[in-house]
Structure formats: structure tokens, C-alpha cells
Amino acid sequence: MTGFFLRRLLSVLPVMLMTAFLSFAAFHFIGDPLQNMVGPEATAQDRARLAAELGFDRPFYIQFFRFISSALHGDFGISTRVGRPVLDLILERLPATLELAILSFIFAMIAGVALGVVTALRPRSILSGFSLTVSLIAVSLPNFLIGIGLIYVFAVKLGWLPSFGRGDTVKIGWWTTGVLTKTGWQAIILPAISLATYQLTLILRLVRTEMLEVMHSDHIRFARARGLPDRLIYFSYALKNTMIPVVTVAGLQLGSIIAFAVVTETVFQWPGVGLLFINSIRFSDVPIMAAYLLIVSIIFVTINMVVDCVYYLLDPRLRTGGVVR
């Protein structure tokens, strides 16, 4: 297990370095951050002095290695838009994004597994037909359109839930949470459903397919021949084997939820790191853009490593000689 973990860790380092280089290189040539900091009336001398203070007059490779060296010490620089440390700005917004992503993931897992089992065991029921039809429509629509539709129905027409913001929050140390207040829960329902829609559909169809395949396997026929009750066969034998690939795919989807929460946060004006990233693009705030992509990449790669390790523990074939990578 230790060797497997170390090999995965070594394979991650080049990926992280390449991600940092691409993000820094891409954003380095977008816009002019000095223009936003000094204003249109600044002289050439003012711009040159500020560029020298921030290190923008150095060659690209020096700026990049300074960025990597500082990032390893938790220093992502100063925001050129608000003049505050980038790490402080991201830590202020990170709880909102993580709460939204985790609640969306839990909702997608519970609803996706439950509906997947129902559609596999009762394929001709009304609930199965309705679930498959709605899931097909949901997966065909872009995420932002689903969010706008939810706002129109539940916020504008019915007035049940707020259309934007995070509601009241409670501060616990450096972490701010909205799940301890009523308005916080009301505010997170619509963005969580919007963000979970695609993952719910994916898990539903994956569970349904795996369940149908497992139900026709030999060990299920043998269990039926022994006269075991249906409930025991469905949930102790079939569902357990079904969940191995589902856990792998669902774990990877958690990284996708965090990475692609940008659209949902923009539609619902959710004050997370995704919205911070969008606002930083408007003002060419290179330190925030580069730090955001680097941190999201670290989260994504870490989740992938955890999923690989869990799958390694669950599947004994990966621990046999010659198969383990």
C-alpha cells in the first residue's frame, strides 16, 4: 500500500507543475493588471515604478519560479485589484464553495443511488419512467440554464427561496458556515440542486446499468435458488457489488463539482472562490487566477489519489502481482 501511494504521489508532481505553468503562462498575457491598479491618468514613470515593485518587469521564467517558490510557502502574492493577500481572499471564499460542493455531492449520491436501484428493480413503474425522462432532459441542458429555470420557478414565480446570495452565516474560527442558519439553508437549496443535476443523472444511470448486470450474474441466481428473500438479495448481494464502480466514478465527480462550480456560483451570485475567479478575470487579476487554478488542481488531484487508494483497497485484483501499477 505504501509503495502504491508513493508511486501515485510521484506521478502527481509533474502534473501539478505543468498545471501551474500553463495557468501562469495563460493568464500572464491576458489584459494589463497595471492599468487597473494605477488608472488611465498614470504616467509612464508611475507604471514603470509599480511594475518594478511587483516584479512585472522581470523575465517570464523568473516570475514563474518566484510564483512557484512563494506558493510552496503558502504565499500566492497580492491581488492587483483589492491589494490584499490572495491566500486570505481564497480562504474567505473557500468555505462557501466547499459547503455547496459537498451538499451537492451528498444529494446527488443519495438521490442517484436510490433512483438507480428503483429504475433497475422496477423498470416499468411510473417512477422509473419519470426519473429516466427527467434525467435525460436534465443531462441535455446546460447547467446555467437549469439554474435560471430554478430561479424563475422557485424564486420569481413562487417566492419560496432566494435567488442569490448565501443568507446569514456563522463564523467558527476562520470557517464561515451557512448551514447553521435558516436563511443559509434556504439560500443553498437552489444552487445545490442545480450543481448536483448532472452528477445525479450520471450516478442514476450508472447504478441502473450495474444493477441490471449484477442481477443476471451467477451468484444472484444461486442466492435465488437458495430461497433467500428478495430484500436480502437486492441490498446485501447486488447493491454491494454495484457500488464498487459507482464509488470510483462518484469520487472523481466530487472533484469536478468543485472545479466546475464556477458557473453555478455566477448564476446564483454565490460568494465562493468560483465567483472570485470570474471577477478576477474581469480585472486581469493574475495572482488570483493563477492561485485559483493551482488550488483547484491540488484539490482535484488529491481526490483522485484518495479514490485510487480506496479502489486499491476494495478491489483485491489490484493487489495481486503483475496487475498492480
Side-chain angles (χ1 to χ4, degrees):
M1 181 65 189
T2 304
F4 177 82
F5 177 77
L6 291 177
R7 283 194 294 273
R8 281 288 183 267
L9 185 61
L10 289 176
S11 67
V12 161
L13 294 179
V15 175
M16 295 305 307
L17 188 60
M18 182 58 69
T19 302
F21 175 78
L22 292 177
S23 60
F24 191 82
F27 296 134
H28 184 77
F29 300 103
I30 295 177
D32 184 5
L34 293 178
Q35 185 69 29
N36 299 320
M37 300 179 69
V38 299
E41 297 180 355
T43 64
Q45 290 75 15
D46 294 334
R47 292 174 57 86
R49 184 177 64 256
L50 185 59
E53 292 176 357
L54 298 176
F56 289 169
D57 58 339
R58 304 287 182 83
F60 170 78
Y61 69 92
I62 294 180
Q63 294 185 45
F64 174 69
F65 283 111
R66 284 183 57 190
F67 171 73
I68 293 296
S69 176
S70 300
L72 291 176
H73 294 85
D75 181 11
F76 293 95
I78 303 296
S79 167
T80 57
R81 182 168 64 96
V82 297
R84 292 181 55 196
V86 171
L87 185 61
D88 291 350
L89 293 172
I90 289 179
L91 289 180
E92 286 178 2
R93 303 293 192 98
L94 192 59
T97 297
L98 291 181
E99 281 188 358
L100 176 62
I102 292 173
L103 286 177
S104 300
F105 178 74
I106 293 173
F107 173 68
M109 278 295 294
I110 294 175
V113 171
L115 293 176
V117 171
V118 170
T119 54
L121 300 180
R122 302 286 185 269
R124 296 185 179 180
S125 65
I126 296 176
L127 179 59
S128 296
F130 178 77
S131 300
L132 292 175
T133 302
V134 172
S135 67
L136 183 61
I137 296 173
V139 79
S140 304
L141 294 175
N143 185 263
F144 73 90
L145 200 57
I146 295 174
I148 293 173
L150 290 173
I151 290 175
Y152 180 75
V153 174
F154 293 100
V156 177
K157 287 298 182 182
L158 299 177
W160 291 352
L161 298 169
S163 60
F164 66 91
R166 198 184 175 194
D168 297 329
T169 59
V170 175
K171 196 164 187 176
I172 304 175
W174 66 273
W175 186 279
T176 56
T177 178
V179 299
L180 298 179
T181 65
K182 180 181 177 181
T183 56
W185 275 106
Q186 292 173 335
I188 203 172
I189 290 176
L190 292 184
I193 293 175
S194 174
L195 187 58
T197 302
Y198 179 80
Q199 281 71 28
L200 190 155
T201 303
L202 181 66
I203 294 171
L204 184 158
R205 292 182 174 273
L206 182 60
V207 170
R208 178 175 180 270
T209 303
E210 293 291 332
M211 195 82 175
L212 288 173
E213 184 177 343
V214 170
M215 290 301 294
H216 292 87
S217 58
D218 292 339
H219 74 284
I220 296 296
R221 292 196 189 96
F222 182 71
R224 288 188 185 282
R226 291 178 59 195
L228 297 178
D230 288 342
R231 179 174 298 180
L232 181 64
I233 295 174
Y234 294 155
F235 298 104
S236 293
Y237 294 97
L239 185 59
K240 184 182 294 183
N241 291 329
T242 299
M243 290 305 293
I244 292 179
V246 174
V247 168
T248 304
V249 174
L252 298 177
Q253 287 301 312
L254 177 58
S256 300
I257 288 177
I258 296 174
F260 299 112
V262 175
V263 176
T264 301
E265 291 186 4
T266 303
V267 171
F268 290 93
Q269 288 298 292
W270 185 261
V273 289
L275 186 60
L276 177 67
F277 175 69
I278 294 296
N279 291 333
S280 68
I281 292 177
R282 295 172 53 195
F283 295 95
S284 302
D285 200 340
V286 175
I288 288 183
M289 291 188 286
Y292 169 81
L293 284 187
L294 186 58
I295 291 175
V296 167
S297 300
I298 293 173
I299 294 175
F300 200 91
V301 168
T302 303
I303 292 174
N304 283 352
M305 284 187 59
V306 172
V307 170
D308 283 345
C309 293
V310 171
Y311 198 70
Y312 180 83
L313 293 174
L314 291 177
D315 194 341
R317 293 172 297 180
L318 294 178
R319 299 194 295 273
T320 59
V323 180
V324 181
R325 297 179 179 179

